Amino acid sequence: MSSSETTIGNITLQYLENIAVTYAVVVGQTHIRKQKMITGIRKEIVQLLYRMTIVSIAIRSYKNPWNWIAVPLALIKKRRRNIGQHRLYKFANVAGKYYWGLYTPGWKSNSFNNFIASEMNKIVPVKQKTNRFVNTYVAITKKCSLQCEHCYEWENLNKKDVLSAEQLNKIIATLQEQGVSIIHLTGGEPLLKMELITSILEHADKSTDFWVLTSGLKLTDENARKLKSSGLNGVMISLDHYIPEKHNEFRGLRCLLLGGKWGAECHNQQSCRSIIDLCNKGIYQLR
């Protein structure tokens, strides 16, 4: 380990960066297999192939050969304009899909193809029907056990939930009818409503990627397996400081991290231990 790497127990910040991108896609059903991070020459090959996919989508979408190259190049310029001149250094390969960001569907999927066609449509109109939305956020509950300093739902937290599972399923169906690449389920703390999440996932059309935005509380092995088997693509976990006590203070969580294990003051000790266990195992795919 280099001197520039800071550790939480035996977890490096570089390692935690990987968790932020790929944790969702970590869970499966029967046995554990280490997550594949694609780097080096393999990353260059994958990047070339997904760019070829983008060109093939342009060929299917336009009659004018000029647009087969001009529109993909315009997409690259748009990306650089929005996020800067950042290179891709790695992909996360999960179940045959390749992920490189939190807001783009995994490559080698219909969701990715629809996403690219929709982005092309904003530059030059395409022939086929495209998605109306890229990323949408659906708050499924107002309930939360934490008191995070940055929360924008302070005035609504822990009030009575007014939308039923049936109503939320209808909202999701309406969004999908309009076309949406990724739906993020938020709150409150969405993992407090596990049955509601699984209901949404099981009723939703599989053309959309689904992610859950969570503090990580309640993300046990058991819940992770349930989410995966219900069709969830990913989970985004916030890590707000490399010092555990600072993270917990920011989140309003009264926990202690002693010797790499959560102390007894944690009001949700089992969930906290599960998160640490999942982190210590590494990035995994369970099948």
Side-chain angles (χ1 to χ4, degrees), residues 182-213:
I182 304 176
I183 293 177
H184 305 265
L185 303 179
T186 71
E189 172 49 66
L191 292 186
L192 294 175
K193 299 288 185 178
M194 277 295 300
E195 291 186 5
L196 179 56
I197 294 176
T198 56
S199 171
I200 290 172
L201 294 173
E202 289 167 0
H203 284 85
D205 187 272
K206 305 307 179 186
S207 61
T208 300
D209 281 6
F210 281 84
W211 291 68
V212 166
L213 278 59

Side-chain angles (χ1 to χ4, degrees), residues 3-108:
S3 59
S4 63
E5 288 181 323
T6 307
T7 63
I8 304 175
N10 63 341
I11 308 171
T12 68
L13 286 183
Q14 178 182 357
Y15 180 73
L16 291 176
E17 178 188 357
N18 293 342
I19 293 176
V21 176
T22 61
Y23 180 76
V25 286
V26 280
V27 262
Q29 296 179 2
T30 56
H31 71 274
I32 298 176
R33 188 182 72 181
K34 194 162 186 177
Q35 174 65 47
K36 290 182 180 179
M37 301 303 296
I38 309 301
T39 59
I41 187 63
R42 293 183 61 200
K43 188 275 297 184
E44 297 296 331
I45 294 172
V46 169
Q47 192 166 0
L48 175 62
L49 291 174
Y50 97 73
R51 285 176 174 173
M52 291 174 62
T53 298
I54 293 175
V55 172
S56 70
I57 294 171
I59 292 173
R60 295 195 302 269
S61 302
Y62 300 109
K63 292 182 179 180
N64 187 345
W66 171 258
N67 291 328
W68 299 352
I69 302 299
V71 174
L73 288 176
L75 285 179
I76 294 174
K77 290 181 180 179
K78 179 181 178 181
R79 177 180 181 273
R80 290 174 177 172
R81 185 170 62 250
N82 290 337
I83 67 174
Q85 299 282 348
H86 296 296
R87 286 188 59 196
L88 290 175
Y89 290 97
K90 58 190 172 184
F91 292 90
N93 176 226
V94 182
K97 298 180 183 179
Y98 294 82
Y99 296 84
W100 60 89
L102 298 174
Y103 305 103
T104 303
W107 172 60
K108 297 187 74 174

